[in-house]
């Protein structure tokens, strides 16, 4: 279709969890003509791109899946508590096959721009394959963490070894055997990759800018009786995660940690530590996210664990987090992460004590005035989170206004779903929605269903455009910021706060609803029930 534009009811950008379900909902439920554009060569999104060693999900598999295909919920058997990337990709391929999704997805095609034609009330979409399409609705299903952050390290072009970013890891893998390897970064990705790479490499050097609080994943086979019981109660499970705070079967301990005795506190901490996963982060005492004093008690417990696990005192102190409250950065789940630093072939270079990375050289990395030599450098430096992938779409709304311009000082949305001045454009788990502060499939399904209902309502009522009002957007932006300011989150230089990338305006990127994802769902439904309050329909 090079040259002429094909017309669709909706164009969806991205074929990960969200794009796949959006296609299913619009095409098979509403009967619309839909085109999905996907830059990768197949479905999967995050699970297509992130192929580094140790890449696996951090949510329990029984709730990290689609809940709209009830038969599949019962039929699919996950091999582990946290499945690895290839297994999740296999699952998504299976869903695509089962629902015949691929016939409406154009792979190996990146959307390079879209503009709203005000006269025709249509989006005009362009791609890197010179394809043109028009659509009444434009839906970004681009993922929250898909725009790779590759910091502009001086000298990177000189390096004579191999290097890659974890989210663009070669499909053929990298053989680290007998190699001197560097990993840059110690976020959730690096925490998964480091123990795996250390097992293969001759020598591994880890470059840490900020020490993280890691808690054990406790991955493994799921007890078959438990798996059966969950399947038998899937309706209950789905209801609970939808109404929960974070999209998991977790609830806070309804008490202040400061009111608990030392024995009681340690018993609870041990219980959560032993349970593994996000329990310590998302099911801790209710004041952990709000009170520094309460938070310190939780943080101290993890610091004690680090000091107990890491044998070398100096290394242990480098790994002990400083300067940010516990839980205010994305919780990495670890499998032998701290133990890895007890190995003779592993070295930790910490920016504060050893000096930051100064440049990449022909032979390796210079940090703190010292030269380190490598055959391979793995950058686990994260993403331009949430706003990055949307700005990259090069969108032009009403009056020629660019999305990058509208968001120059940080994201501005209504409900994290719509943007004033960008009619008929929706974001699935976009900025200022719970997104990355929830179990993603739960939030994805909520947005997809809300958007599909909205499109259905529009069509039934003969309306052609829906657009967030400026006033509703202003109020939402203020509310997102007020909500987060009641917590300790702003005290960390996290990617949640846009602080991982030099020059990115500091703004809280997701949304923390005071009532959790359950409350957010209710809020969105009430707005729809009131005839899409805060939106202008015409
Ligand atoms: P993260 O969590 O952003 O981690 C990136 C890491 O790279 C982190 O340790 C950063 O240090 C470090 N980093 C980033 N830029 C630099 C520069 N310029 N120099 C040195 N070190 C740097 O990304 P992940 O991929 O680990 O995790 C992202 C999400 O993917 C994760 O939360 C899951 O949801 C899946 P910093 O902490 O910013 O000081």
């Amino acid at each position: 279709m090079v040259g002429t534009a094909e017309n669709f009811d909706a164009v969806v950008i991205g074929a990960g969890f969200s794009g796949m379900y959006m296609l299913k909902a619009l095409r098979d439920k509403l009967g619309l003509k839909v085109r999905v554009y996907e830059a990768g060569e197949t479905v999967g999104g995050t699970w297509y791109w992130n192929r580094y060693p140790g890449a696996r999900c951090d949510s329990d598999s029984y709730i990290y899946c689609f809940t709209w295909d009830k038969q599949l919920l019962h039929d699919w058997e996950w091999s582990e508590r946290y499945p690895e990337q290839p297994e999740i990709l296999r699952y998504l391929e299976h869903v695509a096959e089962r629902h015949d999704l691929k016939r409406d997805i154009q792979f190996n095609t990146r959307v390079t721009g879209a503009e709203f034609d005000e006269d025709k009330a249509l989006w005009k979409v362009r791609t890197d394959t010179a394809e043109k399409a028009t659509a009444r609705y434009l839906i970004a299903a681009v993922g929250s963490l898909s725009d790779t952050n590759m910091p502009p390290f001086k000298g990177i072009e000189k390096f004579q070894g191999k290097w890659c970013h974890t989210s663009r890891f070669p499909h053929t893998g990298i053989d680290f055997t007998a190699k001197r390897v560097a990993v840059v970064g110690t976020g959730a990705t690096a925490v998964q990759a480091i123990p795996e790479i250390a097992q293969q490499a001759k020598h591994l050097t880890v470059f840490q800018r900020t020490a993280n609080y890691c808690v054990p994943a406790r991955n493994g086979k799921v007890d078959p009786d438990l798996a059966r019981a969950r399947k038998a109660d899937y309706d209950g499970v789905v209801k609970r995660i939808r109404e929960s705070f974070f999209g998991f079967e977790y609830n806070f301990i309804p008490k202040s940690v400061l009111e608990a005795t030392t024995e009681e506190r340690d018993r609870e901490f041990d219980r959560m530590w032993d349970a593994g996963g996000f329990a310590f982060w998302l099911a801790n005492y209710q004041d952990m996210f709000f009170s520094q004093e309460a938070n310190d008690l939780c943080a101290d417990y993890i610091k004690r664990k680090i000091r107990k696990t890491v044998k070398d005192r100096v290394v242990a102190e480098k790994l002990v987090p400083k300067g940010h409250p516990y839980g205010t950065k994305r919780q990495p789940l670890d499998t032998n992460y701290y133990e890895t630093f007890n190995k003779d072939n592993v070295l930790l270079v910490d920016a504060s004590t050893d000096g930051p990375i100064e440049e990449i050289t022909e032979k390796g990395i210079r940090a703190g005035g010292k030269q380190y030599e490598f055959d391979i450098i793995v950058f686990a430096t994260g993403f331009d989170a949430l706003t990055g992938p949307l700005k990259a779409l090069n969108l032009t709304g009403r009056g020629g206004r660019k999305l990058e311009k509208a968001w120059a000082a940080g994201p501005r949305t209504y409900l994290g779903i719509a943007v004033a001045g960008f009619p008929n454009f929706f974001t699935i788990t976009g900025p200022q929605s719970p997104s990355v502060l929830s179990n993603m499939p739960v939030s994805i399904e909520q947005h997809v269903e809300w958007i599909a209902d909205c499109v259905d309502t529009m069509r039934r009522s003969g309306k052609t455009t829906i657009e967030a009002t400026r006033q509703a957007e202003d109020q939402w932006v203020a509310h997102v910021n007020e909500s987060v300011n009641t917590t300790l989150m702003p005290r960390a230089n996290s990617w949640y706060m846009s602080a991982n990338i030099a020059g990115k305006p500091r703004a809280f990127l997701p949304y923390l609803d005071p009532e959790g994802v359950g409350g957010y769902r209710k809020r969105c439904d009430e707005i729809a029930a009131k005839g899409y309050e805060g939106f202008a329909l015409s």
Side-chain angles (χ1 to χ4, degrees):
M1 279 306 299
V2 178
T4 51
E6 193 176 355
N7 184 249
F8 298 94
D9 295 313
V11 160
V12 177
I13 310 169
F17 263 95
S18 46
M20 290 170 71
Y21 184 30
M22 196 73 246
L23 169 61
K24 172 78 186 166
L26 294 178
R27 186 191 71 184
D28 295 351
K29 203 168 153 220
L30 304 189
L32 303 195
K33 186 178 174 197
V34 185
R35 161 64 51 86
V36 180
Y37 290 115
E38 165 57 55
E41 64 190 345
T42 187
V43 294
T46 285
W47 302 106
Y48 168 79
W49 294 105
N50 287 270
R51 294 165 185 256
Y52 58 86
R56 62 174 75 245
C57 175
D58 280 342
S59 295
D60 286 67
S61 47
Y62 78 103
I63 49 170
Y64 194 83
C65 51
F66 288 123
T67 67
W68 49 268
D69 185 336
K70 287 211 178 347
Q71 189 58 46
L72 189 58
L73 273 182
H74 287 276
D75 294 348
W76 188 267
E77 299 289 346
W78 293 105
S79 71
E80 289 178 295
R81 181 173 178 185
Y82 306 109
E84 276 191 298
Q85 174 268 335
E87 187 171 351
I88 305 174
L89 192 55
R90 249 191 335 271
Y91 166 80
L92 292 170
E93 286 281 6
H94 178 71
V95 173
E97 172 94 2
R98 196 174 146 80
H99 294 277
D100 194 15
L101 298 179
K102 287 193 180 179
R103 72 180 148 95
D104 292 302
I105 307 175
Q106 185 145 326
F107 295 106
N108 301 305
T109 307
R110 186 176 285 281
V111 169
T112 51
E115 66 188 65
F116 187 69
D117 180 328
E118 296 189 48
D119 296 331
K120 299 193 177 117
L122 290 176
W123 280 95
K124 292 179 175 167
V125 182
R126 296 183 303 281
T127 72
D128 63 353
T129 53
E131 186 142 346
K132 290 178 184 164
T134 60
R136 170 111 318 146
Y137 298 100
L138 180 66
I139 299 157
V142 291
S144 309
L145 298 162
S146 52
D147 195 9
T148 295
N149 171 38
M150 185 55 213
F153 288 114
K154 188 178 149 210
I156 182 80
E157 70 292 345
K158 292 189 203 143
F159 182 57
Q160 296 199 327
K162 231 190 238 175
W163 68 267
C164 72
H165 188 283
T166 44
S167 79
R168 293 292 179 271
F169 213 77
H171 288 201
T172 47
I174 296 180
D175 185 3
F176 293 104
T177 316
K179 298 285 194 268
R180 299 162 303 167
V181 183
V183 170
V184 178
T186 54
T189 296
V191 168
Q192 290 185 337
I194 285 165
E196 298 288 326
I197 297 175
Q199 281 188 44
Q200 273 185 41
K202 181 165 131 204
H203 192 271
L204 171 66
T205 306
V206 175
F207 289 85
Q208 169 180 277
R209 186 165 74 175
T210 311
N212 245 318
Y213 295 92
C214 305
V215 303
R218 306 218 185 280
N219 188 33
K221 301 276 171 233
V222 179
D223 172 4
D225 287 340
L226 178 59
R228 256 192 304 278
R230 282 169 172 164
K231 286 193 179 203
D233 181 33
Y234 247 128
D235 286 345
V237 168
V238 171
K239 184 171 186 303
R240 288 192 293 279
I241 59 177
R242 287 182 165 209
E243 291 174 0
S244 69
F245 207 93
F246 292 112
F248 295 88
E249 288 198 89
Y250 288 137
N251 292 303
F252 292 120
I253 301 170
K255 179 175 184 174
S256 164
V257 65
L258 304 169
E259 286 164 11
T261 62
T262 310
E263 296 71 37
E264 181 186 353
R265 207 164 62 212
D266 282 346
R267 205 169 48 241
E268 290 289 16
F269 287 163
D270 285 346
R271 179 184 57 74
M272 292 182 279
W273 188 263
D274 293 343
F278 287 144
F280 201 92
W281 189 33
L282 306 179
N284 214 309
Y285 286 93
Q286 63 181 17
D287 50 349
M288 188 199 83
F289 280 110
F290 301 92
S291 145
Q292 184 66 59
E293 207 185 342
N295 190 284
D296 286 344
L297 291 170
C298 306
D300 283 347
Y301 180 86
I302 301 183
K303 290 177 184 177
R304 289 204 297 276
K305 291 284 188 192
I306 298 170
R307 293 185 173 114
K308 208 167 142 193
T309 309
V310 180
K311 299 203 174 95
D312 184 310
R313 289 299 98 215
V314 177
V315 179
E317 285 318 307
K318 289 181 192 176
L319 287 165
V320 166
K322 293 153 203 87
H324 66 278
Y326 169 61
T328 53
K329 296 186 80 157
R330 164 58 152 80
Q331 172 70 74
L333 294 190
D334 96 75
T335 302
N336 298 325
Y337 177 67
Y338 291 119
E339 287 83 349
T340 297
F341 292 94
N342 292 333
K343 291 181 149 207
D344 293 336
N345 69 331
V346 177
L347 174 72
L348 179 66
V349 177
D350 174 52
S352 316
T353 51
D354 303 308
I357 295 176
E358 287 147 6
E359 63 174 329
I360 313 291
T361 64
E362 266 177 37
K363 293 193 165 168
I365 296 179
R366 204 159 64 86
K370 203 169 157 198
Q371 170 73 37
Y372 301 85
E373 296 190 358
F374 303 112
D375 303 305
I376 303 168
I377 305 175
V378 176
F379 292 96
T381 44
F383 301 90
D384 184 351
L386 287 118
T387 48
L390 292 166
K391 286 183 175 180
L393 293 176
N394 187 19
L395 299 186
T396 310
R398 268 194 209 287
R401 191 163 163 78
K402 294 273 187 196
L403 189 72
E404 304 94 280
K405 275 252 168 74
W407 286 5
R412 298 185 49 76
T413 75
Y414 179 39
L415 296 174
I417 292 181
V419 184
F422 294 77
N424 294 357
F425 170 64
F426 299 103
T427 57
I428 304 176
T429 63
Q432 302 181 331
S433 79
S435 58
V436 290
L437 285 177
S438 69
N439 178 28
M440 289 302 282
V442 175
S443 289
I444 286 169
E445 290 191 352
Q446 185 245 332
H447 269 184
V448 167
E449 287 161 15
W450 192 94
I451 293 165
D453 284 349
C454 174
V455 168
D456 192 30
T457 307
M458 296 283 294
R459 290 170 68 85
R460 282 174 195 278
S461 56
K463 306 276 189 203
T464 51
T465 60
I466 176 161
E467 180 179 355
T469 66
R470 200 71 65 186
Q471 190 195 9
E473 186 179 89
D474 286 344
Q475 283 170 357
W476 187 252
V477 174
H479 169 67
V480 167
N481 292 321
E482 274 160 22
S483 302
V484 77
N485 286 340
T486 65
T487 74
L488 301 173
M489 303 294 273
R491 298 195 192 179
N493 286 327
S494 62
W495 56 259
Y496 295 143
M497 293 302 304
S498 318
N500 60 325
I501 298 177
K504 189 167 175 175
R506 193 175 180 96
F508 183 59
L509 295 175
Y511 166 55
L512 199 54
D513 193 297
E515 307 287 325
V517 301
Y520 173 77
R521 175 185 294 270
K522 224 170 115 205
R523 192 189 287 271
C524 292
D525 289 348
E526 282 166 8
I527 283 166
K530 286 186 203 155
Y532 294 93
E533 189 180 53
F535 289 91
L537 281 70
S538 61

